[in-house]
Amino acid sequence: MENQKTIMITSDLPPDFIPFNRPHLAGPELEYIRQAAASGKLSGNGMFTQRCQQFFEQDYGIPKVLLTTSGTDALEMAALLLNLQPGDEVIVPSYTFTSTANAFVLRGARIVFADSLSDHPNLDVARLEALITPRTRVIVPVHYGGQPCNMVALLSLARQYKLWVVEDAAQAIEARFLNRPLGTFGHLAAFSFHETKNLSAGEGGMLAINDADLATRAEIIWEKGTNRAAFARGESARYEWVDIGSSFLPSELNAAYLWAQVEARTIIQQQRQQLWETYAKALAPLAAAGAFGLLPALPDSQPNWHIFALLCNSQTERDDLLAHLREQHILAVFHYLPLHRSPYYTPRHDGRPLPHADRFGQTLVRLPLYHELQPEQQERIIEAIRTFYEA
Ligand SMILES: *Cc1c(COP(=O)(O)O)cnc(C)c1O
């Protein structure tokens, strides 16, 4: 009995607990998984995988899309595809998830951290040029919360210095910059379908290959270094080992789940927008009175409502706010500990201060934002924030 109690930890949560995230079932996920099982093919690159890939190729205008088992895997594929070598330098924002940098560190690259904008976690494109050296190979912009980095300025810099651009579009599905989908600007882009992202497969991801010259090799790296995909299309006489690679394909079970989410994307996005705008409207007066900050909408952006964040005035205030919400049975969270401050990378960092990344790491709070969040729950969250600041 004791054991069972510790295992079934969710049943110990108070009945009015509001989680930070809850996976959304759009409807047909389980039926599509049943169809995948009935089809007799559950390994990768089956019908549902191809449906998802073709959808994004056509809808976003991407020459080649490959589903992966995670956004992390898509970034690792990018690092393999670009032949990153020990000593190569890769420019990455410090305020991001580990995988943005780790994918390149796995190839021996040195990470040069960029600071964020003063008012938004995205890297400051105006201060990128100073970070470029003769060893720089790649720039990895992260579109935080689906808000775009200035890709016009960034691409022009990359062209001038002949650098690759890999967009970390993990949070940017369905977001646009200048009316074009994020993830279609760089040579490559990594998307994530992790449980916490707008469209989900539990764990999942996708590599967008916008530079068509990289497409053939991408498919080989994806299929464990073999030409299996080309062979299956009848383009190669033999199925054999032709290059390095790994196992980056998701199972059809995951792709089937994802396809239901892709089909439901309009409704999913509308619901997120509505929840996001409810927060924005209710919290604007407190923000205007200086209680906390809100992230600005960045220029030329059509956002995807991925994150709603508050910026507290100090780390202590942030921690107190999270504790206050916890007392009201609401789970809000902070992220990221800037990577230049991480136990792994601090000894490798060149020592430049990155004050804006530090500040977002100390003061940013993400509020619960998921499809099934009910109006009365959202009202409770807003009320709890009001009582914290008006006390
Ligand atoms: C979620 C995320 C990733 C990693 O995606 P996974 O699918 O979880 O591997 C990478 N970068 C950023 C910015 C993310 O938010």
Side-chain angles (χ1 to χ4, degrees):
M1 267 331 270
E2 261 322 289
N3 254 347
Q4 228 173 16
K5 203 164 172 216
T6 39
I7 290 165
M8 296 181 63
I9 196 146
T10 48
S11 67
D12 293 341
L13 292 171
D16 64 345
F17 181 76
I18 303 177
F20 172 66
N21 183 57
R22 193 185 274 284
H24 169 58
L25 266 184
E29 283 89 347
L30 302 180
E31 167 56 20
Y32 291 169
I33 288 173
R34 195 199 59 75
Q35 285 176 21
S39 78
K41 179 167 169 62
L42 283 185
S43 61
N45 203 9
M47 182 185 79
F48 283 107
T49 298
Q50 287 174 16
R51 267 194 208 165
C52 292
Q53 292 178 170
Q54 277 161 19
F55 170 80
F56 286 110
E57 284 169 3
Q58 282 159 19
D59 199 58
Y60 286 15
I62 300 172
K64 180 99 192 150
V65 165
L66 295 172
L67 287 195
T68 56
T69 53
S70 64
T72 301
D73 262 2
L75 288 162
E76 289 179 19
M77 277 190 70
L80 281 168
L81 257 173
L82 300 180
N83 288 319
L84 268 268
Q85 303 294 323
D88 287 345
E89 291 179 1
V90 179
I91 300 175
V92 170
S94 177
Y95 188 80
T96 183
F97 187 63
T98 323
S99 301
T100 316
N102 195 56
F104 298 93
V105 169
L106 279 173
R107 310 256 62 79
R110 211 174 80 74
I111 304 299
V112 175
F113 285 117
D115 203 1
S116 299
L117 294 161
S118 62
D119 61 349
H120 192 280
N122 280 1
L123 60 72
D124 187 349
V125 179
R127 288 161 63 209
L128 264 186
E129 191 166 11
L131 304 179
I132 297 173
T133 76
R135 311 211 64 167
T136 308
R137 298 276 321 281
V138 191
I139 306 174
V140 191
V142 176
H143 305 298
Y144 181 83
Q147 287 281 344
C149 295
N150 181 342
M151 293 309 289
V152 172
L154 193 144
L155 288 178
S156 119
L157 203 62
R159 261 192 302 275
Q160 188 187 337
Y161 288 92
K162 300 193 165 48
L163 305 176
W164 297 105
V165 176
V166 177
E167 294 176 78
D168 182 337
Q171 303 179 3
I173 195 90
E174 294 289 277
R176 287 167 177 259
F177 174 61
L178 293 169
N179 273 319
R180 201 171 122 190
L182 289 177
T184 64
F185 290 88
H187 301 92
L188 297 164
F191 291 87
S192 169
F193 301 117
H194 182 265
E195 171 182 301
T196 52
K197 305 302 205 271
N198 290 22
L199 304 184
S200 160
E203 299 274 0
M206 159 171 113
L207 181 68
I209 299 127
N210 298 311
D211 180 341
D213 291 345
L214 298 170
T216 304
R217 187 154 179 260
E219 215 175 42
I220 291 166
I221 289 173
W222 187 59
E223 277 272 28
K224 301 111 180 158
T226 73
N227 60 355
R228 194 210 304 253
F231 176 73
R233 289 192 299 264
E235 296 165 13
S236 308
R238 284 195 313 242
Y239 162 44
E240 56 195 349
W241 186 13
V242 293
D243 202 336
I244 57 167
S246 191
S247 185
F248 291 115
L249 311 77
S251 135
E252 276 290 285
L253 297 174
N254 295 50
Y257 191 104
L258 179 62
W259 178 245
Q261 301 256 314
V262 172
E263 282 187 326
R265 70 200 175 282
T266 308
I267 292 166
I268 290 173
Q269 292 296 92
Q270 279 169 357
Q271 173 70 355
R272 283 195 91 90
Q273 177 173 3
Q274 207 204 316
L275 291 165
W276 198 100
E277 285 173 350
T278 301
Y279 276 137
K281 190 155 175 264
L283 296 171
L286 272 173
F292 46 75
L294 297 172
L295 296 180
L298 295 180
D300 303 311
S301 105
Q302 292 84 43
N304 67 352
W305 326 109
H306 177 58
I307 284 175
F308 194 92
L310 306 182
L311 297 173
C312 296
N313 293 297
S314 69
Q315 184 162 3
T316 319
E317 181 187 305
R318 192 270 308 274
D319 294 343
D320 290 349
L321 173 61
L322 291 179
H324 171 79
L325 293 174
R326 239 357 248 268
E327 279 163 23
Q328 322 274 317
H329 302 165
I330 296 162
L331 183 59
V333 300
F334 70 88
H335 74 172
Y336 298 105
L337 298 167
L339 298 181
H340 74 287
R341 299 257 182 216
S342 63
Y344 180 71
Y345 222 86
T346 303
R348 295 164 173 86
H349 176 56
D350 55 31
R352 276 171 306 113
L354 304 169
H356 301 312
D358 282 341
R359 205 181 55 259
F360 290 116
Q362 289 159 0
T363 64
L364 188 141
V365 169
R366 291 178 70 180
L367 299 181
L369 180 59
Y370 54 86
H371 200 91
E372 280 78 12
L373 187 67
Q374 300 301 307
E376 58 275 16
Q377 291 178 310
Q378 199 178 16
E379 191 43 48
R380 251 179 66 211
I381 299 166
I382 292 161
E383 205 41 49
I385 295 166
R386 283 196 190 116
T387 53
F388 178 80
Y389 281 102
E390 285 165 359

